[in-house]
Amino acid sequence: MQDFEYAIEVNNLTKKYDGFTLDNVSFKVPKGSIMGFIGQNGAGKSTTINAILNIVKRDEGEIKLFGLDNLKNETEVKENLAAVFDELPFNEDLNAKILSKVMSDIYKNWDEKVFFNYLDIFSLPSKKAFKKFSKGMKMKLQIAVALSHHAKLLIMDEATTGLDPVVRNEILDIFMEYLQDENNTIFMSTHITSDLEKIADMVTFIDKGKIILSGYKDEILDNYGIIKCGKAEFESVDSADYIGIRHTDYGVEMLVADRRKAAEKYTDMVVDKTTLDEIMVFLV
């Protein structure tokens, strides 16, 4: 595979459905990073991921994986990526031992030793049918499969949804270990922003099929803030200074893109730091 700077490059991606349009979506995921893809249900996260994986045909735009076109070089790029979904994509009558044989026929780099090592780490039985697995076990199984053919890109679509905090933390630890190799990259769609605050390098917010914010997580959290004031004080705030507003029982809260500038301008008001969760609520 050629040398590449970005694991994923999406340019002007458009997909039209009846009642929904993925509208000119563009973003880049640098090699060696974790990007969190944030949005509410129905925002366009899964459609974007399915277009990246060529599960759905895009109407317009370009997608490159590892610097290669995801359509022209589909076989090569899919050999080097792994996808983990909310639902188990395998026949539930199978067990892990049989699945390993199936995967060895699909991936050139399938590593049975690595796979069974992950089964041990996750305490997953190799001979029990998947239909007897809990949701957490099924998710761990998918991750074991994803990490067992030396993929350079791991794509997660709402994969930690519905898992208890202990299992989620266990999986996040595995991801951090996976990223010890600087050639490996994770693209993770979720609406559980607390996970991303722990591990993401970058975040991209999508709403109603449009990208509304994308950048380095630490910079966004350092720059963005919330002005809090009474309803009377709110009258003195310039509408150009905030990008989202929320009325509460106690007054008004406004999201600003530059909290230091806001603090200098509105010295009599409280300007607090914010979280990814709050940013999402204000922006959508």
Side-chain angles (χ1 to χ4, degrees):
M1 186 186 294
Q2 64 183 50
D3 191 32
F4 57 94
E5 184 179 357
Y6 296 103
I8 303 175
E9 296 171 78
V10 176
N11 295 305
N12 304 316
L13 172 63
T14 299
K15 176 68 180 176
K16 294 177 181 174
Y17 292 105
D18 184 20
F20 176 80
T21 298
L22 197 64
D23 191 3
N24 256 340
V25 164
S26 297
F27 59 86
K28 293 179 179 180
V29 184
K31 174 175 70 174
S33 68
I34 296 184
M35 177 177 274
F37 195 39
I38 306 172
Q40 32 182 5
N41 292 334
K45 301 189 302 296
S46 292
T47 303
T48 303
I49 285 174
N50 287 338
I52 290 170
L53 297 172
N54 197 27
I55 293 170
V56 300
K57 301 295 180 190
R58 62 186 182 249
D59 295 328
E60 295 171 37
E62 177 189 54
I63 298 170
K64 287 185 178 179
L65 302 175
F66 321 113
L68 302 170
D69 186 279
N70 79 320
L71 301 183
K72 292 176 189 168
N73 306 98
E74 184 170 14
T75 303
E76 184 177 353
V77 297
K78 284 193 172 175
E79 183 69 37
N80 288 287
L81 69 81
V84 178
F85 301 97
D86 184 28
E87 298 293 333
L88 192 69
F90 312 125
N91 184 320
E92 299 214 351
D93 289 325
L94 298 179
N95 62 38
K97 201 162 187 181
I98 296 169
L99 184 63
S100 182
K101 289 184 176 137
V102 172
M103 290 296 155
S104 67
D105 291 331
I106 295 172
Y107 292 110
K108 293 178 197 169
N109 295 326
W110 180 254
D111 194 325
E112 189 176 75
K113 186 178 176 184
V114 169
F115 178 61
F116 282 101
N117 185 49
Y118 275 119
L119 294 185
D120 285 341
I121 290 169
F122 287 140
S123 302
L124 295 175
S126 61
K127 294 179 181 175
K128 183 186 268 189
F130 302 147
K131 62 188 172 188
K132 296 180 180 176
F133 279 22
S134 67
K135 183 176 175 66
M137 290 168 75
K138 288 176 182 177
M139 189 52 58
K140 288 177 179 179
L141 174 71
Q142 280 199 76
I143 290 165
V145 171
L147 297 177
S148 295
H149 63 95
H150 304 288
K152 297 294 177 199
L153 171 61
L154 183 56
I155 294 178
M156 317 277 294
D157 189 8
E158 295 285 2
T160 56
T161 302
L163 300 181
D164 68 65
V166 174
V167 173
R168 288 214 320 272
N169 278 330
E170 196 177 346
I171 288 169
L172 296 181
D173 287 343
I174 293 284
F175 291 166
M176 297 309 291
E177 196 176 304
Y178 170 75
L179 283 174
Q180 294 301 306
D181 183 336
E182 60 189 23
N183 288 311
N184 291 343
T185 307
I186 296 176
F187 181 65
M188 182 177 175
S189 98
T190 185
H191 56 264
I192 304 174
T193 54
S194 58
D195 287 350
L196 299 179
E197 290 200 1
K198 289 177 192 169
I199 65 169
D201 301 300
M202 302 184 72
V203 289
T204 293
F205 290 80
I206 186 169
D207 185 50
K208 298 184 181 74
K210 292 179 184 260
I211 301 297
I212 52 176
L213 177 64
S214 187
Y216 284 95
K217 177 199 72 182
D218 289 347
E219 285 180 12
I220 289 170
L221 291 177
D222 187 48
N223 291 331
Y224 277 65
I226 295 176
I227 299 177
K228 296 179 179 177
C229 66
K231 285 173 179 156
E233 295 169 296
F234 169 63
E235 300 300 324
S236 66
V237 179
D238 186 340
S239 61
D241 289 341
Y242 59 85
I243 50 179
I245 185 168
R246 180 166 63 186
H247 293 272
T248 71
D249 292 340
Y250 306 103
V252 181
E253 296 179 353
M254 292 155 281
L255 182 70
V256 293
D258 188 335
R259 65 184 174 84
R260 292 177 184 83
K261 188 175 172 185
E264 284 173 16
K265 185 170 180 179
Y266 302 105
T267 53
D268 56 337
M269 299 181 194
V270 175
V271 183
D272 287 339
K273 285 190 168 186
T274 187
T275 64
L276 294 178
D277 208 28
E278 284 184 315
I279 291 172
M280 182 170 80
V281 168
F282 273 99
L283 289 180
V284 305

